[in-house]
Amino acid sequence: MIEFWNTRYDEPQYAYGKSPNAFLREVMATFSPKGSILFPAEGEGRNAVYAATQGLQVSAFDISNSGRNKAIQLANKHNVTLDYQVGELPYLHYKEDSFDHIALIYAHFPSSVRTHYHKLLSKLLKKGGYLFFEAFSKNHIPYRTKNPKVGGPDNLSMLFSVEDIQNEFKDIEIITLEETIVTLQEGNYHNGEGSVIRYIGRKR
């Protein structure tokens, strides 16, 4: 996976564009989060940089050095700073209750570690903090088959259902949780109609 993502992010263009995810932009406008926010699997930094321009203290991580390099370039262009680490979550030494918010935007972790990672992330979130989540649903495969340009994993175990979210974030109160169809226009690799899970939660 490291080689895959480094290869993708080594391309001259930003794989998913430089603009923030539309859902993230909506929830940022609605909830006006303050303080610190963590972006797991952040890639080239489009969402983290946007959050930083909105005045948040932004941390991020990914397994790709190439992704981090482009994220820092984008941050410099916008005159903001990111605390961006490269590595796997269990080895990054984040402290429990250290983030006011967490944003998981198309963070499709391998099924072998996903549940564990989600539990770790829940522990990093402060009480009362928000979790913002958008990712492809288990019903996305037919959309991807019809139009590969919409992107997303072709492995069902890396996709999500409403029940997955309920089971994997049990200590987070559901504000909004839905499966919906969206039309994506994000760089070269998210283009077209797809099925996603959108979730907003608040830690009890």
Side-chain angles (χ1 to χ4, degrees):
M1 292 300 293
I2 294 174
E3 182 179 356
F4 173 87
W5 289 112
N6 277 332
T7 299
R8 174 159 292 186
Y9 296 147
D10 275 337
E11 296 175 4
Q13 294 181 325
Y14 278 66
Y16 303 100
K18 298 179 181 179
S19 299
N21 170 261
F23 175 66
L24 176 70
R25 188 161 41 198
E26 289 173 11
V27 297
M28 292 279 286
T30 301
F31 291 88
S32 301
K34 306 297 182 185
S36 59
I37 187 168
L38 174 66
F39 287 86
E42 175 53 6
E44 297 166 311
R46 63 193 176 105
N47 298 309
V49 168
Y50 174 72
T53 67
Q54 303 304 299
L56 281 88
Q57 179 183 343
V58 180
S59 297
F61 71 87
D62 200 282
I63 57 173
S64 169
N65 275 299
S66 298
R68 181 189 184 278
N69 291 341
K70 290 172 82 173
I72 297 304
Q73 291 174 14
L74 188 62
N76 290 339
K77 181 178 179 180
H78 287 270
N79 297 311
V80 295
T81 58
L82 308 176
D83 176 14
Y84 195 126
Q85 299 189 50
V86 175
E88 298 180 9
L89 176 58
Y91 308 107
L92 296 179
H93 306 297
Y94 293 121
K95 296 181 180 180
E96 292 186 13
D97 304 315
S98 57
F99 293 102
D100 295 299
H101 315 287
I102 294 176
L104 285 157
I105 307 297
Y106 295 99
H108 290 272
F109 297 114
S111 58
S112 59
V113 301
R114 188 180 84 187
T115 299
H116 178 52
Y117 277 25
H118 285 173
K119 289 180 179 179
L120 290 178
L121 290 170
S122 294
K123 292 179 180 179
L124 299 182
L125 186 61
K126 294 179 182 178
K127 184 177 180 180
Y130 288 109
L131 176 68
F132 305 123
F133 178 102
E134 181 174 278
F136 291 113
S137 82
K138 291 185 182 296
N139 292 315
H140 179 66
I141 295 291
Y143 293 91
R144 190 184 190 282
T145 301
K146 182 179 179 181
N147 172 28
K149 292 183 179 180
V150 71
D154 58 4
N155 184 338
L156 190 65
S157 69
M158 293 182 68
L159 301 173
F160 295 92
S161 67
V162 167
E163 292 74 20
D164 289 335
I165 300 302
Q166 291 171 331
N167 291 331
E168 295 180 16
F169 294 105
K170 289 183 177 179
D171 60 343
I172 297 179
E173 178 185 5
I174 296 171
I175 297 174
T176 299
L177 176 56
E178 64 175 355
E179 181 173 347
T180 189
I181 306 302
V182 299
T183 300
L184 297 172
Q185 292 181 312
E186 300 182 325
N188 292 331
Y189 293 100
H190 276 176
N191 287 285
E193 194 174 66
S195 177
V196 304
I197 301 293
R198 285 180 166 177
Y199 170 47
I200 302 169
R202 191 174 188 183
K203 189 169 182 180
R204 295 185 177 93

